[in-house]
Amino acid sequence: MTVPASAPPLRPDAAQLGLIAANFLMWGGFFAVIPLVTVHFSGSTAQGGLGWPAATVGVVLGLRQLTQQGLTVFGGAWADRVGPKPLILAGCVLRCAGFAWMGYATTPGVLLAAALLAGVGGGLFDAPKNAAITAVTRPEQRPQMFSLTSIAGNLGMVGGPLIGAALLGLGFRTAALSAAGVYLLAAAVMAVTLPHARPERTPGRSLAGLAVAARNVPFRRFTLVLIGYFILSTQINVAVTLKAIALAGPHATGPLYGLSAGLAVLLQYPLIRLTQRHIPLRAALVGAVALVATSLGLMALAQSFPALLACVALYSLGTMLVFPSQQTLTAQFAPPALVGSYFGFSAISLGVGGALGSVLGGSLVDLGASVGLPALPWLTLAAIGAVTALGLRWALRGLQHPHPGAAP
């Protein structure tokens, strides 16, 4: 397998800069308010919260996630019919309305309606945003562009909670309305900088692109195998967080997330440039998943918080390589007219893997504790990662041209 020639450094144009800035604003706005939902609605009344059962808020947030991931599948297909820009703008406006409505929620029913509206907005802009990145970026520079948008998102993930926590002192409504305003700003940036690419009208149903993606056997295998990776990637919020709290208390989450996001901000772009020069894309993806699996396995040996953070550093190195590689390969699989549909179909792996990972991670931690085998979750997750890495090597064999299976 030959190593591809190094792509020239990316010098973002207005559309690319707009997408990078919008991704920063979207992630920042999201993490400015969503972590506060549990604090506000389930917090004790003595500390200004509403005192709702934590399970109620958990169900609301879970349904929001399911709504977004489910609609993302169709959002990509619609982008192939109307272009990504209208859907991105509509999604930002709906998320703005959903977050603003959360600020006025006083009953679980109202909070659920607001959260579902925010989920619909995310489902509309998620896959179209990736389709837009693909449309405005040359193929050889897409790994760099996806890396830069990911870095911007990580910056938002770091800054959003800090801003949200500061705004919480002014009341949850103020924080929610501020986050809503950020999505309006993101919509304005996209309206000004992103060209409206009008797809050629093709005969057939509006969702026919999803059927083409589903019939593409190599791509279908690739998407389904990636479910295993997303089971692993969600553990930073589940099993890894539980272990961090067990080792260092509830304040351990700050250093944990700060290290993960900070490494991505500092290292993701140069790491992608390095792998582009020396490692084929498919090998980089397989190796990155194997690194994530190894890091989770090593967490079984971590008996101190610094040792756990060292494992998290390895975990983060792997995850920061997976995202741009996976997105670039998805674009490579897709015929030019069906990029949105392919990104929509690829959301199945995140939706299913994320849901399974949330359930499996906590269950394995509880099971390991009950049977006196605390290494059980980490060994199980490492085994899932090893199988996933081997599965990706199998699924990507023979990928020699831009979009295999393009013909109907």
Side-chain angles (χ1 to χ4, degrees):
M1 187 181 293
T2 58
V3 177
S6 178
L10 176 67
R11 294 178 174 81
D13 58 22
Q16 292 166 333
L17 287 172
L19 283 161
I20 292 168
N23 210 47
F24 167 74
L25 292 169
M26 290 175 180
W27 281 60
F30 181 86
F31 282 100
V33 69
I34 289 298
L36 302 182
V37 170
T38 302
V39 174
H40 174 67
F41 290 100
S42 292
S44 69
T45 54
Q47 297 179 334
L50 299 184
W52 295 3
T56 300
V57 178
V59 168
V60 167
L61 295 178
L63 289 174
R64 183 212 66 81
Q65 180 70 22
L66 285 174
T67 299
Q68 176 166 337
Q69 294 305 323
L71 192 58
T72 293
V73 175
F74 302 102
W78 294 332
D80 290 333
R81 305 293 290 189
V82 303
K85 183 173 182 177
L87 291 171
I88 294 172
L89 298 182
C92 285
V93 171
L94 288 179
R95 175 149 289 184
C96 167
F99 279 3
W101 197 6
M102 280 186 188
Y104 292 88
T106 55
T107 66
V110 173
L111 178 63
L112 176 60
L116 292 180
L117 184 60
V120 170
L124 286 181
F125 65 60
D126 201 354
K129 179 155 57 74
N130 291 327
I133 291 170
T134 301
V136 301
T137 308
R138 293 164 53 190
E140 66 272 17
Q141 293 182 323
R142 285 172 187 160
Q144 299 173 54
M145 183 60 189
F146 281 117
S147 178
L148 288 174
T149 55
S150 178
I151 290 169
N154 278 289
L155 283 170
M157 187 171 69
V158 172
L162 299 176
I163 295 170
L167 290 173
L168 189 59
L170 302 176
F172 176 75
R173 182 173 297 173
T174 300
L177 291 175
S178 299
V182 168
Y183 275 89
L184 278 186
L185 179 58
V189 169
M190 288 286 86
V192 171
T193 62
L194 187 63
H196 179 25
R198 298 180 181 274
E200 294 182 10
R201 289 290 180 182
T202 55
R205 302 184 309 276
S206 60
L207 301 181
L210 287 176
V212 173
R215 289 196 302 267
N216 184 333
V217 175
F219 180 65
R220 187 171 69 231
R221 290 172 179 164
F222 174 62
T223 300
L224 294 178
V225 170
L226 276 171
I227 290 173
Y229 166 72
F230 286 110
I231 289 174
L232 306 185
S233 70
T234 196
Q235 297 311 315
I236 191 71
N237 302 315
V238 187
V240 179
T241 294
L242 291 172
K243 178 147 189 168
I245 292 172
L247 290 173
H251 297 293
T253 55
L256 180 71
Y257 293 123
L259 175 65
S260 179
L263 285 174
V265 170
L266 292 174
L267 299 179
Q268 186 171 43
Y269 188 78
L271 195 58
I272 283 293
R273 292 290 292 148
L274 183 66
T275 55
Q276 275 190 298
R277 284 193 291 267
H278 300 290
I279 306 174
L281 187 59
R282 287 165 287 174
L285 178 60
V286 172
V289 172
L291 182 59
V292 171
T294 301
S295 68
L296 287 168
L298 289 173
M299 288 181 192
L301 305 176
Q303 300 301 316
S304 66
F305 188 54
L308 180 66
L309 289 180
C311 296
V312 170
L314 285 178
Y315 177 94
S316 301
L317 288 174
T319 57
M320 72 179 70
L321 273 175
V322 171
F323 173 77
S325 301
Q326 180 235 339
Q327 300 294 79
T328 302
L329 282 166
T330 299
Q332 186 176 343
F333 270 111
L338 296 177
V339 170
S341 296
Y342 273 65
F343 275 112
F345 187 84
S346 73
I348 292 172
S349 57
L350 172 58
V352 175
L356 288 175
S358 296
V359 174
L360 187 63
S363 300
L364 286 172
V365 170
D366 290 341
L367 180 60
S370 67
V371 301
L373 188 60
L376 176 66
W378 312 110
L379 297 178
T380 304
L381 293 168
I384 292 172
V387 172
T388 301
L390 291 173
L392 284 171
R393 185 177 179 183
W394 164 75
L396 294 172
R397 71 193 192 286
L399 179 60
Q400 301 295 339
H401 45 88
H403 42 85

